[in-house]
Amino acid sequence: MDMYKRRDSNALSYGKHSPLPHHTGAAHRRGLALPRGFGFVGKVLAVLLVVALGAYWTLQEPGSSRSPSRVIEAVLGGGAAESKTTKDCPNPHPDRPVLQYGLMIDAGSTGSRIHIYRFNHCHGPSPSLENEVFEQLKPGLSSPTFKTPEEAANSLDPLLQLALKHVPEDSRKCTPVSVKATAGLRMLKDHKGDKILDAVRHKLQTEYPFALVEPKGVEIMPGKDEGVYAWITVNYLLERIGQERRLPTAAIMDLGGGSTQIVFEPHSSEPMEPGDHRYELSFGDHSYVLYQHSYDGYGLMQGRQRIRKAGVADKQFPCYALGHKETYTDDDKLEHDVEGTGGDHGVCHSFIQTHLFDKECPAPPHMGQKPSCSFDGVYQPSLTSSFANNDIYAFSYFYDKFAEPFGLVGPETGFKVGELRAAAEKVCAGKITAEELSTDAGAEAAKLFEDPEWCTDLGFMYGLLSVGYELPEDRILKTAKKIAGVETGWSLGAALNVVDGWGQAGKGMCVKETT
């Protein structure tokens, strides 16, 4: 799943062209607000903290492979989060420790990142997040600069040393640690990825006091887990799961470069067919039956390739700006000249609908039952019937290419599917102006004017939602880079899944042995 670091957008001003329709009717849209209770004094302290951190890191040694923001410590504060620390622990869980740490290492293709979470068991059936310490470094475990698996494993030492600094000594052996690798290791040949993971596992078992999660503490993360962990993160931060009362949950749609994922909880009135798409999850006091699927080859970059391939076959390229030229290399390494014939989103949309999203459903599993699928013959309960009223959150390229530039971010606002179509129509016709983009999107939004793929990208995203998932024009989707000040990626969900599972299995109480 691709995650991007962008700023939250606050407002949208319009130029001479008519504005995009918006379901709120507001000419100016607010983005994510500061937590309640975060008044003048809080703002001053926040500014002083940023200045101090900047000065501190400026004095650090040059040439470090770590990121410029080397250590980010995010303490939840304001609003409901203030009541979820151990300062006030009215109802400590009888079978779990008051404090519980968890370590999650995201071993990506370009770098490795550690999330050091501190939870408590004071406020309900599930862990409450108190604090997160984050650090990242480059290169990733799969980098060719590492000559041996042991060298690659040793690259994690700075991250693990940071964990030793932040996890109290008497809590370390009760602190679960997991390493989740993504596609970079999977692509290595001659089982090099497996050898690197074996070296990482050996390091954690022999050199560090943390509790390695078994049996999948060090692994290349399956795509289905990535989507489900992101679903946990979003619904946890929205306080839809982990509560005493069972609440309706939100769906997630993530559009990366190579694939797109969807995870949601269908209504119980429409039972799901058995299969790999079915994911049963226990969290807190409740159980959930989720639908999940990762459509490989339907990420935004791969979507572009599909459009090029179809255009070469039909000798037409209506999704590219008129006169735009490029070269497309097909699967047989043959080169084809591509020249855009676009200017009309309607023609582009018709082309995408015809060539990209096969709506042929497989034969119904039971006689008399209507087949249910999205596209490519993949079974999926209908979103319009089995998930008619609950929130849908769309991330990654939905955010970067559309919601953020147009100021449609934040859990209070969101956007209608029809607004995405309206944006595509303006962009494809060349009738969009800089004044119509969110000022907070800044230079990133300005770059979109120079991108001949922008029409293609918006057309693909609209096709995915309207044709692929059959969402109506008036369906509202929400998007946010952060919820309650916390990133919406999969890592928090993965850590919560471990910590909550430990609590249910009684392992978390091992802290009593050291206190």
Side-chain angles (χ1 to χ4, degrees):
M1 183 168 356
D2 303 89
M3 301 302 292
Y4 302 87
K5 294 188 175 179
R6 301 285 170 88
R7 293 172 294 173
D8 293 324
S9 179
N10 293 321
L12 171 62
S13 59
Y14 295 114
K16 60 183 179 179
H17 294 290
S18 60
L20 298 177
H22 191 264
H23 56 278
T24 63
H28 296 278
R29 298 159 195 153
R30 290 190 170 185
L32 297 177
L34 290 172
R36 288 182 213 146
F38 200 85
F40 176 75
V41 175
K43 293 177 182 177
V44 172
L45 292 175
V47 171
L48 292 175
L49 176 61
V50 170
V51 172
L53 285 172
Y56 174 78
W57 294 124
T58 301
L59 297 174
Q60 298 306 301
E61 71 276 8
S64 172
S65 62
R66 300 178 185 179
S67 67
S69 54
R70 293 181 38 175
V71 180
I72 302 170
E73 184 167 356
V75 182
L76 298 184
E82 286 183 341
S83 67
K84 294 195 174 181
T85 68
T86 51
K87 295 177 182 178
D88 175 26
C89 194
N91 301 302
H93 198 290
D95 300 317
R96 304 187 189 185
V98 173
L99 281 180
Q100 173 70 67
Y101 291 82
L103 309 178
M104 187 60 57
I105 296 178
D106 171 6
S109 57
T110 60
S112 298
R113 297 158 282 276
I114 191 169
H115 301 262
I116 305 168
Y117 296 109
R118 185 174 74 229
F119 302 97
N120 70 59
H121 289 103
C122 297
H123 306 275
S126 67
S128 295
L129 177 62
E130 279 196 2
N131 170 277
E132 176 193 9
V133 176
F134 169 81
E135 184 168 358
Q136 58 184 343
L137 50 78
K138 296 181 178 181
L141 292 177
S142 59
S143 172
T145 59
F146 301 126
K147 304 304 181 185
T148 66
E150 289 71 27
E151 279 189 26
N154 290 341
S155 71
L156 299 181
D157 280 326
L159 302 182
L160 292 165
Q161 289 295 322
L162 182 69
L164 289 175
K165 175 183 175 181
H166 285 274
V167 178
E169 184 176 359
D170 61 0
S171 297
R172 291 171 185 168
K173 74 173 186 178
C174 302
T175 297
V177 58
S178 293
V179 179
K180 304 290 187 185
T182 52
L185 287 183
R186 187 182 295 113
M187 296 172 63
L188 295 179
K189 298 179 180 179
D190 300 324
H191 302 287
K192 289 183 180 179
D194 293 334
K195 294 174 182 176
I196 291 173
L197 292 182
D198 287 342
V200 170
R201 187 178 295 104
H202 180 75
K203 171 177 284 289
L204 290 172
Q205 289 173 334
T206 60
E207 299 180 28
Y208 289 92
F210 307 115
L212 181 62
V213 176
E214 297 293 357
K216 297 181 179 180
V218 181
E219 66 168 351
I220 297 175
M221 183 168 53
K224 65 178 182 179
D225 286 351
E226 187 174 347
V228 170
Y229 292 153
W231 181 91
I232 293 174
T233 297
V234 169
N235 283 281
Y236 175 83
L237 295 175
L238 292 172
E239 298 187 347
R240 308 283 180 85
I241 62 173
Q243 310 299 309
E244 293 185 4
R245 187 165 59 94
R246 200 181 196 289
L247 300 171
T249 57
I252 66 152
M253 293 178 179
D254 187 33
L255 179 62
S259 63
T260 185
Q261 291 85 29
I262 180 171
V263 184
F264 65 99
E265 183 186 15
H267 195 276
S268 58
S269 63
E270 293 196 15
M272 266 193 295
E273 293 295 321
D276 291 342
H277 54 264
R278 183 184 176 96
Y279 198 109
E280 297 185 12
L281 172 72
S282 294
F283 192 88
D285 289 344
H286 303 289
S287 297
Y288 303 87
V289 179
L290 306 178
Y291 172 87
Q292 67 76 32
H293 188 75
S294 178
Y295 290 89
D296 292 336
Y298 280 94
L300 194 65
M301 300 301 110
Q302 289 299 311
R304 290 178 179 179
Q305 286 292 90
R306 286 178 179 270
I307 292 172
R308 291 189 188 99
K309 183 177 181 179
V312 167
D314 274 17
K315 294 182 173 56
Q316 58 174 315
F317 305 95
C319 295
Y320 295 102
L322 183 65
H324 168 64
K325 297 180 180 180
E326 63 177 66
T327 300
Y328 165 69
T329 304
D330 64 22
D331 296 337
D332 296 323
K333 308 302 181 184
L334 298 176
E335 292 187 348
H336 304 269
D337 293 330
V338 173
E339 182 171 353
T341 59
D344 184 345
H345 167 70
V347 178
C348 173
H349 176 67
S350 178
F351 181 85
I352 289 173
Q353 184 174 12
T354 301
H355 292 87
L356 261 66
F357 298 106
D358 178 10
K359 299 300 293 183
E360 290 295 325
C361 291
H366 303 297
M367 293 299 294
Q369 179 178 327
K370 182 181 179 181
S372 179
C373 70
S374 52
F375 54 93
D376 265 8
V378 175
Y379 166 80
Q380 178 186 299
S382 169
L383 282 166
T384 56
S385 60
S386 70
F387 201 81
N389 301 312
N390 295 10
D391 287 339
I392 298 175
Y393 275 76
F395 299 105
S396 297
Y397 279 118
F398 287 117
Y399 185 98
D400 298 333
K401 292 282 188 176
F402 170 60
E404 185 191 39
F406 287 97
L408 300 172
V409 301
E412 302 87 5
T413 53
F415 62 89
K416 287 184 177 182
V417 174
E419 290 180 282
L420 178 51
R421 173 189 48 75
E425 288 174 347
K426 284 201 163 192
V427 169
C428 292
K431 295 181 178 179
I432 191 76
T433 67
E435 289 76 20
E436 290 181 273
L437 299 184
S438 168
T439 55
D440 283 348
E444 294 299 323
K447 291 179 182 178
L448 293 172
F449 284 95
E450 304 169 5
D451 186 357
E453 304 274 12
W454 197 14
C455 170
T456 311
D457 293 342
L458 293 176
F460 176 80
M461 289 189 287
Y462 175 68
L464 177 62
L465 297 179
S466 65
V467 181
Y469 293 138
E470 296 183 336
L471 292 175
E473 294 271 294
D474 60 353
R475 183 62 190 259
I476 295 174
L477 281 73
K478 297 181 177 181
T479 186
K481 194 66 177 175
K482 294 182 178 181
I483 298 175
V486 180
E487 294 281 343
T488 55
W490 60 263
S491 58
L492 175 58
L496 281 164
N497 192 51
V498 170
V499 169
D500 189 63
W502 264 41
Q504 293 186 29
K507 294 181 181 179
M509 291 308 293
C510 71
V511 73
K512 287 186 174 180
E513 298 174 15
T514 59
T515 57

